[in-house]
């Protein structure tokens, strides 16, 4: 029963990584940019949700709010986080990345690191360096097998949200007009522009969707581990990027699969090997997978024309 508990914990953690990785893989697949500030957008979304919930609790709900009112305040905080992160993603793309469309990958990488540090230090100035206790979006747990197995409702919500988001993104990119424009920009940006597609708007929409997903991931991450600070998104962002590469960056099902597998590996490593070595084991597995299959588990090899 312990193994099943660790497995469920790993799937829940992996679902958070998968949601973050979906943002990474969309931006890279369409704009061919690695947005390493994505992890810090997660942190911003979590802070917006935290302060929205605190404001609702202090000013709107009163001392003994009903369950429906509490659920409404939670939903409001998530929507506020998504709205702020969506605008933030569009601003980051417009100010930091759009001028570098024709620049080399090194310039984009340095800019992304700079944006990441800017967001971290800005959060430290605004919210303080001390961690705060985040209130989970849902509390309680499901008890099975006469109490031998307990599954938190946060874990169930996280897995369900990840599956819904992955299916929605797949449908969006394959069936909607904007999704088809994104796929066209991914294949050949110049040809897409000649066919009348607004490349700037398409890439901005990609950053907006990725940042909205980061807000959801930030809320779920802090519900899973209820400590919030300015560096909260750094390591999960790196692990999610690892998951995107692991599954095949640019592939939506690959990001989902990579995130789930990474979460399971981390949970099992912490339970059966060592908590201190779990991160090392994650990156060691990534190295082995890339040595065997450089494009990732579901990635496709695309030869470059020279």
């Amino acid at each position: 029963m312990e193994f099943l508990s660790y497995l469920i914990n790993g799937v829940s953690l992996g679902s958070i990584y998968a949601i973050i990785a979906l943002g990474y893989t969309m931006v890279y697949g369409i704009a061919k940019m690695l947005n390493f500030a994505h992890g810090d957008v997660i942190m911003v979304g979590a802070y917006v949700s935290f302060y929205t919930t605190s404001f609702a609790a202090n000013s709107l709900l009163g001392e003994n709010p009903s369950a429906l009112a509490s659920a409404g305040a939670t939903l409001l905080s998530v929507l506020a986080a998504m709205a702020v992160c969506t605008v933030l993603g569009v601003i980051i793309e417009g100010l930091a990345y759009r001028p570098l469309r024709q620049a080399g990958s090194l310039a984009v990488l340095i800019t992304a690191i700079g944006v990441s540090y800017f967001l971290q230090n800005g959060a430290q100035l605004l919210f303080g360096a001390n961690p705060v206790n985040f209130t989970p979006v849902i509390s309680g747990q499901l008890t099975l097998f006469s109490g031998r197995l307990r599954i938190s409702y946060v874990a169930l919500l996280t897995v369900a949200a990840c599956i819904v988001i992955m299916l929605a993104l797949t449908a969006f990119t394959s069936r909607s007009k904007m999704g088809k424009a994104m796929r066209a920009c991914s294949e050949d940006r110049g040809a897409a522009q000649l066919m009348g597609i607004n490349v700037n708007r398409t890439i901005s929409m990609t950053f907006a969707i990725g940042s909205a997903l980061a807000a959801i991931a930030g809320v779920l991450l802090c519900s899973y581990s209820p400590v919030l600070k300015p560096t909260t998104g750094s390591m999960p962002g790196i692990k999610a990027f690892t998951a995107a590469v692991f599954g095949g960056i640019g592939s939506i099902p690959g990001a989902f699969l990579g995130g789930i597998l990474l979460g399971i590996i981390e949970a099992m490593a912490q339970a059966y090997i060592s908590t201190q070595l779990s991160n090392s084991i994650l990156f060691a597995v990534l190295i082995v997978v890339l040595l065997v299959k450089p494009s990732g588990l579901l990635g496709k090899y695309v030869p470059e024309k020279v």
Side-chain angles (χ1 to χ4, degrees):
M1 203 60 66
E2 284 187 357
F3 175 81
L4 185 58
S5 178
Y6 295 142
L7 180 63
I8 293 171
N9 185 52
V11 172
S12 173
L13 180 61
S15 297
I16 297 173
Y17 293 155
I19 295 173
I20 305 171
L22 286 170
Y24 270 117
T25 206
M26 282 196 67
V27 170
Y28 180 81
I30 294 163
K32 297 296 183 278
M33 291 181 176
L34 293 175
N35 180 22
F36 281 112
H38 193 64
D40 299 289
V41 178
I42 296 168
M43 172 268 298
V44 172
Y47 268 113
V48 172
S49 175
F50 172 79
Y51 282 107
T52 303
T53 303
S54 299
F55 172 77
N58 295 331
S59 304
L60 303 177
L61 298 183
E63 294 183 358
N64 297 308
S66 64
L68 183 61
S70 298
T74 300
L75 179 61
L76 176 64
S77 71
V78 175
L79 292 176
M82 291 177 65
V84 171
C85 287
T86 298
V87 173
L88 179 62
V90 173
I91 291 173
I92 289 173
E93 189 276 330
L95 296 180
Y97 296 137
R98 186 175 298 179
L100 300 176
R101 293 261 177 89
Q102 307 302 322
S105 57
L106 182 59
V108 177
L109 177 62
I110 293 172
T111 301
I113 294 173
V115 173
S116 174
Y117 279 112
F118 175 80
L119 292 177
Q120 284 185 26
N121 286 276
Q124 188 170 343
L125 289 173
L126 287 174
F127 309 122
N130 295 326
V132 296
N133 294 322
F134 191 91
T135 303
V137 292
I138 188 171
S139 57
Q141 58 185 7
L142 180 66
T143 303
L144 301 172
F145 303 109
S146 302
R148 290 182 295 169
L149 179 63
R150 292 182 174 87
I151 307 172
S152 67
Y153 290 133
V154 169
L156 296 175
L157 176 64
T158 302
V159 175
C162 180
I163 293 172
V164 169
I165 289 171
M166 192 271 294
L167 294 176
L169 277 180
T170 302
F172 174 78
T173 54
S174 60
R175 298 181 182 180
S176 70
K177 184 177 180 180
M178 178 57 71
K180 292 176 182 178
M182 290 177 177
R183 290 164 58 196
C185 290
S186 176
E187 291 291 333
D188 192 323
R189 197 180 302 170
Q193 195 165 12
L194 289 175
M195 296 301 293
I197 294 174
N198 189 326
V199 173
N200 288 334
R201 185 179 66 181
T202 302
I203 293 178
S204 293
M205 180 61 69
T206 304
F207 272 82
I209 293 173
S211 299
L213 294 181
I216 298 173
V219 173
L220 294 174
L221 174 66
C222 291
S223 297
Y224 177 87
S225 178
V227 177
L228 175 59
K229 54 186 178 180
T231 57
T232 289
S234 298
M235 185 53 71
I238 293 173
K239 290 179 180 178
F241 173 70
T242 303
V245 175
F246 187 44
I249 193 162
S251 167
I252 291 177
F256 174 79
L257 177 62
I260 297 296
L261 290 178
L262 216 67
I264 293 174
I265 293 170
E266 181 175 351
M268 294 303 174
Q270 289 178 348
Y272 294 109
I273 301 176
S274 170
T275 304
Q276 288 78 17
L277 293 177
S278 60
N279 289 339
S280 301
I281 293 170
L282 283 181
F283 296 117
V285 169
L286 173 68
I287 292 171
V288 172
V289 169
L290 292 181
L291 287 174
V292 176
K293 199 172 189 299
S295 57
L297 296 176
L298 299 183
K300 297 179 181 179
Y301 172 71
V302 179
E304 291 188 11
K305 296 181 180 180
V306 294

